[in-house]
Amino acid sequence: MKKTSTRRHLVATALALALSAAAFPASAQNKPVANTTTTEGARQLYASAEGKFKASDFAGALVDFQGADATKPTPQTARYIGLCQDKLGHYVEAVAVYERFLSDVPSKLQKEADEIKARVAEIKAMPSHLRVNTTPPGAAVTIDGKPPPLSAPVEVDLPAGVHTLHATIEGHDAADQTVTLAFASKLDVALQLAEKAAPPPPVAVAPLAPAPPPAPLAAPPERRSKVPAIVTGALAVAAAGVGAAFGVITLNDKNTFNANPTESTAEAGQNHALISDMAFGVAITLGVTSLVLLLTNDEVDPAKTAREPAPATFALTPIVSPHGGCAGALLRF
């Protein structure tokens, strides 16, 4: 009887424990969830975030820290958010939160503040990664005007700041762009190079007509010879001399006739007077001819000079009449 009673007591105890274990989860599920908009909720999120951070779950810790910071921002929460962003490679975001922490550092976190300052300086010294693609691909890209140019696509690390890009490729217009790089960041740039317009067709130009040959220089005009004028003048002087001599003889014959009038003396005087008149006539004619020759223009017509010049000729013709006489002269040259 005693053993049977003991067995019944053990079964009842085990059943009671089983019912208690089944009933506990139900009571836990019915417990209300902590309100994250309250200070208590912020503490719970902070505690959860610390656990995830220690377990290297930086993405999960970041979400919980940001939730706690939204309810109750504190310098310590800002420091942890910066650490999570830093661990995840979000350097720009990490520096922004780090600087918020450094603007209001509690005295008990001065050591951590010194570490954060050093880390901010390291992050700001990190280069930025730039990737440049061009259309068409393969363009020569120059950064900040420093050769040698690189062939696109280009991937290069550059310090933070403003940089100028210049891309060229044959048959296309050059492309230029200015980019501003943040520290420890990545930037992709696409440069479009427009195709050059086709050159206009060449304009047909008619060949220039050959220039006419220069006209031959005119030969200087030949000067007319003065020899005929000089000869004619000399003959005129000689004829005048003959006329003067026979004039003197005629006067002598007249004086002789007046002293002793005879037929022979009269006839001789008439003959001498005739010769004197003829000589003076020839002299006058030759003198006029010589003067004309001297005053004639020196230029000679080339057409006339082309002809063979005729030899100069001189002819003296006496003219006798019943009441007197004279002489005529003809000079050809």
Side-chain angles (χ1 to χ4, degrees):
M1 290 290 295
K2 189 176 181 179
K3 290 182 179 181
T4 302
S5 177
T6 300
R7 290 176 181 174
R8 289 179 179 177
H9 179 73
L10 291 173
V11 171
T13 302
L15 182 59
L17 291 173
L19 291 174
S20 298
F24 179 78
S27 62
Q29 290 176 0
N30 293 330
K31 185 178 180 180
V33 179
N35 187 356
T36 57
T37 60
T38 63
T39 302
E40 183 61 29
R43 288 197 189 98
Q44 292 179 9
L45 285 174
Y46 188 90
S48 172
E50 278 188 316
K52 293 178 181 179
F53 186 86
K54 292 176 181 178
S56 298
D57 181 10
F58 303 115
L62 177 61
V63 173
D64 287 348
F65 279 127
Q66 288 175 334
D69 189 65
T71 301
K72 186 180 180 181
T74 62
Q76 182 67 351
T77 306
R79 171 177 169 272
Y80 269 117
I81 292 175
L83 290 172
C84 291
Q85 297 281 27
D86 196 352
K87 297 292 185 181
L88 294 171
H90 306 157
Y91 300 113
V92 176
E93 295 83 354
V95 169
V97 185
Y98 280 154
E99 290 179 343
R100 175 189 149 194
F101 165 71
L102 294 174
S103 66
D104 184 20
V105 178
S107 56
K108 63 180 180 179
L109 296 178
Q110 192 58 50
K111 178 182 177 182
E112 289 80 356
D114 294 338
E115 295 174 353
I116 295 299
K117 286 180 182 179
R119 180 56 183 165
V120 168
E122 290 178 1
I123 294 176
K124 288 186 175 182
M126 289 182 180
S128 300
H129 187 76
L130 176 67
R131 177 180 175 85
V132 181
N133 287 294
T134 61
T135 304
V141 179
T142 302
I143 301 174
D144 296 331
K146 297 178 181 178
L150 306 173
S151 180
V154 174
E155 292 197 39
V156 63
D157 290 334
L158 297 172
V162 179
H163 300 275
T164 57
L165 310 178
H166 178 74
T168 58
I169 193 170
E170 186 177 358
H172 293 73
D173 294 328
D176 296 280
Q177 186 170 334
T178 301
V179 296
T180 301
L181 300 178
F183 53 85
S185 62
K186 294 182 179 180
L187 181 65
D188 289 341
V189 176
L191 296 178
Q192 182 78 31
L193 287 80
E195 187 173 359
K196 288 184 177 179
V203 179
V205 178
L208 297 177
L217 297 176
E222 297 181 4
R223 300 183 64 82
R224 187 182 296 276
S225 176
K226 301 297 183 180
V227 173
I230 296 173
V231 172
T232 304
L235 291 176
V237 171
V242 171
F246 276 93
V248 172
I249 294 173
T250 300
L251 291 175
N252 189 31
D253 289 342
K254 183 179 179 182
N255 292 331
T256 302
F257 179 79
N258 290 333
N260 185 20
T262 63
E263 184 178 354
S264 60
T265 303
E267 185 178 355
Q270 290 179 352
N271 291 334
H272 292 155
L274 178 61
I275 293 173
S276 178
D277 291 341
M278 292 175 61
F280 278 119
V282 171
I284 293 172
T285 303
L286 292 176
V288 172
T289 303
S290 177
L291 184 62
V292 170
L293 291 175
L294 288 173
L295 297 178
T296 303
N297 190 356
D298 288 341
E299 294 185 0
V300 180
D301 187 356
K304 293 181 179 179
T305 58
R307 298 193 296 268
E308 186 70 21
T313 58
F314 176 76
L316 183 62
T317 305
I319 302 174
V320 181
S321 66
H323 304 285
C326 65
L330 177 63
L331 180 65
R332 291 181 180 179
F333 51 89

